[in-house]
Amino acid sequence: MTELQNTRQEAQNPVQAHSGHITEKKPKATRDAYGETLLELGKRRPDIVALDADLSGSTKTAKFAREFPDRFFNMGVAEQDMIGTAAGLALTGKVPFASTFAVFETGRAWDQIRLAVCYSNTNVKLVATHGGITVGEDGASHQALEDIALMRALPNMMVIVPADASETASAISAVADHKGPVYVRLGRAKVPYVMPDDYTFTPGKAFVFHIGKDVTIIAAGIMVDIAQKAAEILAGEGIDAGVVNMSTIKPLDEETLLRVAETSGLIVTAEEHSVIGGLGGSVCEFLSENHPVTVRRIGVRDTFGCSGSPGDLLKRYGLTAGDIVETVKNSI
Amino acid sequence: MGVMTEGKITDINELKRIAKNVRINILHMLTLAGSGHTGGSLSAADVAVAIYFSRMKFNPGDPSWEERDRFVLSKGHAAPLIYAIMAEAGYFREDTIETLRKTGSPLQGHPCSALLPGIEISTGSLGQGLSVANGMALGLRLDGNPARVYCIMGDGEVQEGQVWEAAMTAAHYKIDNICAVVDNNGLQIDGPVEKVMGIEPLHDKWAAFGWHVMDIDGHNMQEILDALGEAETVKGRPSIIIANTTKGKGVSFFENKVEYHGVAPTREEFDRAVKEIHND
């Protein structure tokens, strides 16, 4: 049994106990899981509608569009109008899922999200794909590194960053049942399965794989897998490193954070986002007021991305397991 | 006033009387608030009164009644206008208007749907209302609900790019249960619209975007009623009324004065204004 499996077997969640077992499956992009889940939800729930801004093939809302053409609205390259239209649909009792790339969804239409979605508290689900630098070759214009900060600053908004395809499926179902604005950030690239088979996403609940005596890595999105790899390497060097999947970034699971901070003297956050205003920012804000401990943030350090393969870019911007390991060792 | 489901007002003199009352209440609340948007509230008053009291189905006792027609004040700074209409319709006690812009009031400086039932969507950042109106119209159509959606925009507001995104959407999806209005009063905060950022030819622009366009005198109640009626007969495409109006309409010393875009009347101005409106 590897250290990684050991770590997973210790997995405990305040809500439910897990076997920790993960069936071996090929890596899958979270956007693919979204497309499939939206289609399934559409079959069960006639109130679900979808909108896209000319990227339905990439965001995978095209699956829903083919099955339910009357409940799908392609808005063309017009994100602001898409958000307003989604708010209007929500006001007639529909549950609109509005999707495009994270940069355009949260940046181009931020004022619309602020006024027509958050301030008006309309039941709009913003599910954006192509978050982070693993967008890859398209480069900085298409790599959202500020989206979590932009969405998190808005009152009434829930912010979710699933770690793998199975958590995405579970989160999308939960989001459809949740009343109120939600932002879900998904990725372009295929990611390994990291969550146990019997895990169910609960809004606002972090998943604790293990709380480390020496350090705990609080991660979200693709960084959960990378954090686990880092924890495995650290274990080999005698450092007890925990991993928490903080998939709901807002509202933050404060109870779990406190529990982690009380056990681990050091916390490292890991996200595929700017270190400003995202997961790392959230954790620092909460802990500095409630239980100050040393926090180190792994993330993109106040710069734009660039073109390259996802793997190369993770190295270039310091988002690898090796970077986490180094940060931990330099901080203990 | 009770449930407005039947017996909608078609008597022009009665609508004019309501419009006078609405204008006085607009000035009353603005004077007490000491700030707010006078000119654009007065310019759109006749059209908005006609929409609410001659065409719309609504129920002040049940603001979220599913069969209601929907109204979106995209030019959210004309909030006093919608508040005066809602007071007239019985959504709240008339003295509530005296709380306009005061801390804790449901009558925010710009309409807030979360605080005031009967406001469909919060507005204030210009250019957003038509998109929301389209979404409501599409949702109603999906449900087979015959309710209609009205949306009033400002003329300066159509400088916002989102308005034209929404214009494309309404035509593309053949949304014919919507009737938009441009309150074409010719002035915006920084001066005459044509000087700040020209929007003409406005009629041709909307027509080119696939809309049925009606140009009217936005203070002629008969023309307003005719246009609203015509809009209901247009099928397969959206309708828009370009209501040519006078900013500050009804009070001679406010009319066509750009400085009254965002300034409230003084007590003295209010008294003179009310006399003028009564004598009109």
Side-chain angles (χ1 to χ4, degrees):
Chain A
M1 189 177 281
T2 67
E3 286 296 328
L4 180 59
Q5 282 165 330
N6 260 331
T7 307
R8 285 177 182 166
Q9 286 226 330
E10 289 172 38
Q12 276 190 350
N13 185 286
V15 182
Q16 52 192 123
H18 289 272
S19 65
H21 182 261
I22 304 173
T23 307
E24 199 68 33
K25 278 175 281 192
K26 279 189 193 154
K28 181 171 173 174
T30 50
R31 59 178 169 145
D32 282 310
Y34 167 50
E36 290 161 15
T37 309
L38 186 63
L39 175 62
E40 289 310 309
L41 281 169
K43 288 175 184 166
R44 289 207 312 274
R45 292 187 39 180
D47 58 337
I48 287 183
V49 299
L51 303 92
D52 209 299
D54 193 38
L55 289 168
S56 63
S58 297
T59 65
K60 306 299 174 186
T61 59
K63 280 183 169 41
F64 182 96
R66 276 192 291 275
E67 188 82 12
F68 305 108
D70 294 343
R71 284 151 57 192
F72 175 78
F73 302 98
N74 200 325
M75 306 307 293
V77 193
E79 296 78 12
Q80 301 175 348
D81 186 43
M82 174 173 78
I83 298 302
T85 306
L89 282 159
L91 288 168
T92 60
K94 305 284 173 264
V95 181
F97 280 73
S99 295
T100 181
F101 290 0
V103 161
F104 313 131
E105 180 121 15
T106 63
R108 190 60 169 263
W110 189 83
D111 185 40
Q112 287 71 17
I113 294 171
R114 179 176 183 271
L115 189 73
V117 178
C118 289
Y119 185 49
S120 298
N121 209 8
T122 49
N123 195 22
V124 175
K125 314 306 174 189
L126 308 165
V127 183
T129 65
H130 295 61
I133 53 166
T134 50
V135 164
E137 291 77 0
D138 275 349
S141 66
H142 283 52
Q143 295 162 347
L145 298 176
E146 316 82 5
D147 55 318
I148 296 170
L150 286 171
M151 293 298 99
R152 192 170 78 81
L154 292 170
N156 293 337
M157 183 67 93
M158 178 182 279
V159 178
I160 299 168
V161 185
D164 67 9
S166 72
E167 185 173 39
T168 301
S170 181
I172 294 296
S173 297
V175 159
D177 292 335
H178 173 81
K179 192 112 176 115
V182 183
Y183 175 63
V184 183
R185 182 211 223 201
L186 304 176
R188 170 178 177 264
K190 289 184 170 66
V191 287
Y193 283 85
V194 293
M195 301 306 287
D197 291 349
D198 55 358
Y199 165 78
T200 304
F201 172 84
T202 307
K205 280 284 168 208
F207 183 82
V208 178
F209 288 96
H210 169 62
I211 297 181
K213 288 184 190 69
D214 302 313
V215 61
T216 294
I217 308 160
I218 313 259
I222 64 161
M223 297 307 289
V224 174
D225 174 56
I226 293 168
Q228 287 186 321
K229 290 190 171 84
E232 194 176 353
I233 296 167
L234 288 164
E237 300 185 23
I239 296 170
D240 182 20
V243 176
V244 170
N245 174 9
M246 190 63 76
S247 47
T248 308
I249 294 180
K250 187 185 175 187
L252 209 55
D253 184 346
E254 297 176 347
E255 195 187 315
T256 297
L257 256 186
L258 274 180
R259 202 152 55 89
V260 170
E262 281 161 8
T263 307
S264 309
L266 172 67
I267 283 177
V268 173
T269 61
E271 62 192 313
E272 191 195 3
H273 182 272
S274 170
V275 290
I276 299 171
L279 172 64
S282 309
V283 168
C284 288
E285 286 164 19
F286 176 74
L287 289 179
S288 63
E289 286 185 342
N290 296 282
H291 191 98
V293 290
T294 302
V295 179
R296 295 275 179 265
R297 295 166 300 157
I298 298 282
V300 177
R301 303 208 73 89
D302 195 17
T303 183
F304 290 103
C306 67
S307 291
S309 72
D312 282 353
L313 294 180
L314 288 172
K315 285 193 198 96
R316 186 183 176 95
Y317 293 98
L319 302 180
T320 66
D323 293 304
I324 297 175
V325 167
E326 197 182 332
T327 299
V328 168
K329 292 206 290 198
N330 289 340
S331 308
I332 277 180
Chain B
M1 197 164 286
V3 184
M4 292 289 295
T5 52
E6 284 175 70
K8 288 174 281 193
I9 300 166
T10 50
D11 178 61
I12 286 184
N13 287 327
E14 175 61 5
L15 289 168
K16 282 183 179 169
R17 188 198 61 78
I18 295 172
K20 276 189 182 185
N21 212 20
V22 162
R23 280 196 166 88
I24 289 168
N25 272 337
I26 287 169
L27 296 168
H28 176 53
M29 71 179 99
L30 281 166
T31 305
L32 288 175
S35 70
H37 297 81
T38 304
S41 297
L42 294 173
S43 63
D46 296 309
V47 175
V49 162
I51 289 172
Y52 257 89
F53 297 104
S54 82
R55 309 298 318 184
M56 278 176 59
K57 299 188 297 286
F58 57 86
N59 181 356
D62 181 11
S64 52
W65 177 44
E66 280 188 16
E67 289 167 48
R68 74 191 183 283
D69 293 316
R70 272 75 167 171
F71 180 88
V72 175
L73 186 68
S74 192
K75 47 175 286 183
H77 54 279
L81 167 59
I82 186 74
Y83 299 152
I85 285 175
M86 290 174 78
E88 184 78 25
Y91 279 90
F92 43 75
R93 281 170 40 154
E94 197 167 277
D95 60 4
T96 306
I97 65 173
E98 293 168 8
T99 66
L100 172 70
R101 289 179 168 246
K102 302 271 197 309
T103 308
S105 170
L107 309 193
Q108 292 288 295
H110 294 80
C112 174
S113 57
L115 291 177
L116 188 61
I119 296 292
E120 301 286 349
I121 185 85
S122 303
T123 50
S125 174
L126 292 173
Q128 298 195 24
L130 190 58
S131 299
V132 178
N134 281 339
M136 291 197 284
L138 286 168
L140 293 169
R141 188 166 79 185
L142 276 176
D143 290 336
N145 185 332
R148 293 179 62 79
V149 184
Y150 295 91
C151 175
I152 296 188
M153 290 173 280
D155 49 357
E157 181 177 12
V158 307
Q159 290 159 352
E160 288 279 7
Q162 188 187 349
V163 169
W164 301 100
E165 295 181 1
M168 274 187 269
T169 295
H172 181 82
Y173 284 104
K174 300 180 168 51
I175 301 175
D176 56 14
N177 51 344
I178 196 167
C179 178
V181 176
V182 176
D183 177 28
N184 197 25
N185 62 33
L187 295 176
Q188 59 189 114
I189 304 181
D190 273 356
V193 172
E194 282 311 293
K195 202 172 158 199
V196 174
M197 178 54 65
I199 60 171
E200 290 297 339
L202 196 54
H203 178 107
D204 294 349
K205 282 191 174 115
W206 286 97
F209 274 74
W211 287 61
H212 176 71
V213 190
M214 294 163 279
D215 297 88
I216 63 162
D217 172 352
H219 301 304
N220 181 318
M221 204 50 93
Q222 188 60 56
E223 287 190 31
I224 299 169
L225 294 188
D226 290 347
L228 290 171
E230 186 178 323
E232 290 194 21
T233 67
V234 175
K235 298 298 166 205
R237 58 187 175 138
S239 291
I240 187 159
I241 297 169
I242 296 176
N244 295 303
T245 57
T246 301
K247 199 148 185 168
K249 177 70 182 180
V251 182
S252 62
F253 47 95
F254 293 155
E255 287 185 5
N256 287 319
K257 295 259 171 58
V258 74
E259 53 272 33
Y260 279 98
H261 171 94
V263 173
T266 62
R267 190 77 236 177
E268 183 269 331
E269 285 171 331
F270 171 74
D271 292 338
R272 278 165 58 207
V274 169
K275 272 190 201 120
E276 268 199 26
I277 291 169
H278 277 309
N279 292 336
D280 181 39

